[in-house]
Amino acid sequence: MGLGKTIQTIMALSKDSATLAVVPATVKYNWKKEIEKWRPDLKVSIIPNEKGFRLPQFGEVVIANYENLPDYLEPHKISPTSKSWEVTVTWPTPEMARHAKNVTLIVDEAQRVKNYKTKRSKRIKGLSMSVKNVWALTGTPLDNRPEDLFGILESLQIDRKST
C-alpha cells in the first residue's frame, strides 16, 4: 500500500483508451476519485452490480469489483471433444466480443487470482483472453510457492499475451 500504483497506472493510460479496471470493492470509489483528480480527460463509471456489467467506451474507465463480473466470462471448451486448453468466452453479443479486443484490463490486487480454480480467477481469465492488454497490479509479495505465481499467470493469460 502507498506505493502509488493506482496513480501511476492512471497516468499511463492513453486519453482514448477503453479501460476496464477490476478492483476490490473497498477501493472502487477511491479509484474513481483518483481518476477524476489526475485524469479529468477520462470519463469514469462504476458498475454497481453484475447485471450492470459492460465494457468501456473509448476515453472511458469502467470500474468493477471482482464480485460484479458476470458468469458468462468464465471460459469453456470450444467443443466437447476439444483439449482442455482450447477454451473460449461466449459474449452476449458479437459486438461486445469485437469491442473487447480494444479494451485494456487493469487487475488491481492481482494476487487475488492466484488460485486459478476459483470463479473469480476464471472470470478474470475469460476477460484476459478477450482483451487487448492486461495490466496486473499488486503490492503483495508472493510467497515462495511457485504455484501462486503460476496461478496468477494462468488467470491473466500472460503466456498468451506475450506471443
Side-chain angles (χ1 to χ4, degrees), residues 115-126:
N115 181 352
Y116 64 93
K117 295 178 183 179
T118 64
K119 286 186 177 200
R120 169 191 302 166
S121 296
K122 289 177 183 177
R123 292 173 186 183
I124 291 293
K125 178 178 180 174

Side-chain angles (χ1 to χ4, degrees), residues 53-124:
F53 182 81
R54 68 179 181 80
L55 294 175
Q57 297 303 312
F58 294 103
E60 180 182 28
V61 179
V62 169
I63 303 168
N65 52 292
Y66 288 95
E67 296 76 20
N68 289 349
L69 298 177
D71 59 356
Y72 64 75
L73 292 173
E74 291 181 37
H76 55 275
K77 286 185 176 184
I78 292 174
S79 70
T81 59
S82 68
K83 296 177 182 169
S84 62
W85 60 84
E86 293 176 329
V87 294
T88 189
V89 172
T90 303
W91 289 89
T93 66
E95 294 79 24
M96 274 186 94
R98 280 193 299 276
H99 184 60
K101 293 177 182 174
N102 298 309
V103 170
T104 294
L105 172 64
I106 298 170
V107 181
D108 190 18
E109 300 297 340
Q111 76 279 0
R112 290 179 171 225
V113 295
K114 69 182 179 182
N115 181 352
Y116 64 93
K117 295 178 183 179
T118 64
K119 286 186 177 200
R120 169 191 302 166
S121 296
K122 289 177 183 177
R123 292 173 186 183
I124 291 293

